[in-house]
């Protein structure tokens, strides 16, 4: 009952936030993260009540934005390795009779680890940066895309369960979509974008940057140099450690994670202090606003301009 009361109260507050312009505001992102990373959700571990409340919240944001379910319902359940999880999957149909058959997929995982090592009587691993931040980014971007209705290609918006258990939700969805033989153009995954770098000449990096021209295209499309390559991410092969990899594995198309944290600039990975007060919401909003025109361009080019450099990845 406490969860339901908190959810209702948050939805009422959210419905009062003005969306009269297209610019994403820091407070909007903060509100999303504050709900998802609240103690009441107890760290959003896969298949727990807290994670289900987060899924219901995401569904409510889809409905509010006018994003339709991709399947018969927004919830796409799966079972893997003893876990029963649920991905939340929405759909924004393209407006071009031909290009709408090509799919751009925006994703992030909304689960976290639940509880961690106790610090000062706190054992809840809230997962504000990991990955309420990425979830908030996808919700804000999808809201703008749905309201503008300018996308020629169709967009699948997917928030994944079970990432922390081994990419379980994204593996299940990628396999299911591949069995449907969808024409996936590219997949953009959002992970840990809550803190800026302090010593880089770019704002965000792509895992597997060198494997396709997506980073270069995003910089061209946004007329910025906001996207770069992280040597740390390359060293630790982060390309294979988030939900983008499930889609690369199934489709062999450009599928990358967008992040601003390669663990050199954030000390609270899987830590109970991954809390909302660690995040920079002005940075997040600015980053999202800079990215949106690039995502719009990905959805609207006449041909598939983004290509893999390597035919296969070990």
């Amino acid at each position: 009952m406490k969860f339901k009361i908190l959810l209702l109260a948050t939805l009422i507050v959210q419905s009062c936030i003005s969306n009269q312009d297209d610019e994403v505001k820091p407070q909007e992102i903060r509100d999303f993260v504050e709900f998802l990373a609240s103690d009441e959700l107890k760290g959003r571990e896969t298949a727990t009540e807290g994670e289900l409340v987060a899924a219901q919240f995401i569904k409510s944001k889809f409905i509010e934005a006018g994003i339709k379910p991709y399947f018969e319902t927004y919830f796409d359940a799966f079972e893997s390795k003893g876990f029963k999880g649920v991905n939340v999957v929405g759909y924004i149909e393209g407006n071009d009779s031909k290009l709408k058959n090509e799919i751009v997929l925006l994703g992030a995982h909304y689960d976290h680890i639940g509880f961690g090592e106790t610090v000062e009587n706190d054992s809840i691993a809230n997962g504000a940066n990991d990955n309420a931040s990425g979830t908030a980014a996808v919700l804000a971007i999808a809201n703008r895309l749905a309201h503008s209705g300018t996308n020629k290609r169709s967009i699948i918006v997917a928030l994944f369960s079970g990432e922390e258990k081994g990419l379980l939700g994204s593996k299940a969805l990628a396999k299911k979509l591949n069995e449907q033989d969808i024409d996936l153009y590219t997949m953009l995954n959002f992970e840990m974008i809550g803190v800026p770098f302090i010593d880089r000449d770019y704002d965000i990096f792509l895992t597997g940057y060198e494997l396709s021209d997506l980073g270069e295209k995003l910089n061209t499309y946004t007329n910025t140099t906001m996207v770069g390559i992280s040597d740390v991410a390359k060293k630790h092969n982060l390309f294979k450690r988030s939900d983008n990899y499930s889609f690369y594995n199934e489709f062999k198309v450009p599928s990358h994670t967008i992040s601003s944290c390669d663990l050199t600039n954030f000390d609270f990975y899987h830590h109970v202090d991954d809390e909302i007060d660690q995040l920079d919401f002005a940075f997040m909003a600015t980053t999202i606003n800079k990215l949106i025109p690039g995502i719009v361009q990905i959805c609207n080019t006449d041909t598939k301009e983004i290509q893999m450099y390597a035919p296969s990845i070990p």
Side-chain angles (χ1 to χ4, degrees), residues 86-201:
V86 60
N87 298 318
V88 191
V89 189
Y91 183 64
I92 306 170
E93 185 175 12
N95 62 24
D96 183 274
S97 59
K98 180 180 178 181
L99 291 179
K100 72 178 182 179
N101 296 314
E102 299 174 5
I103 302 294
V104 174
L105 197 151
L106 306 179
H109 75 91
Y110 71 94
D111 66 307
H112 195 48
I113 64 172
F115 293 85
E117 184 177 346
T118 301
V119 177
E120 296 182 355
N121 297 318
D122 180 11
S123 62
I124 299 174
N126 301 83
N129 197 20
D130 183 16
N131 186 36
S133 68
T135 301
V138 169
L139 291 175
I141 293 167
N143 176 289
R144 270 60 185 187
L145 296 175
H147 279 121
S148 70
T150 59
N151 54 293
K152 294 181 180 181
R153 292 184 174 87
S154 295
I155 302 166
I156 292 177
V157 188
L159 285 306
F160 308 112
S161 169
E163 190 268 359
E164 301 288 2
K165 304 297 185 184
L167 314 184
L168 301 184
S170 59
K171 286 178 181 177
L173 182 61
K175 181 178 180 181
K176 189 171 186 176
L177 293 176
N178 200 11
E179 289 171 350
Q180 291 184 345
D181 197 29
I182 70 164
D183 186 359
L184 182 64
Y185 172 29
T186 189
M187 189 273 185
L188 302 178
N189 186 55
F190 290 77
E191 175 96 42
M192 297 180 71
I193 65 162
V195 293
F197 290 112
I198 58 174
D199 59 349
R200 311 284 174 91
D201 59 0

Side-chain angles (χ1 to χ4, degrees), residues 205-222:
F205 67 91
L206 294 185
T207 61
Y209 181 100
E210 70 282 0
L211 303 175
S212 84
D213 61 356
L214 175 60
E216 296 174 17
K217 291 296 185 184
L218 278 172
N219 283 337
T220 298
Y221 294 161
T222 59

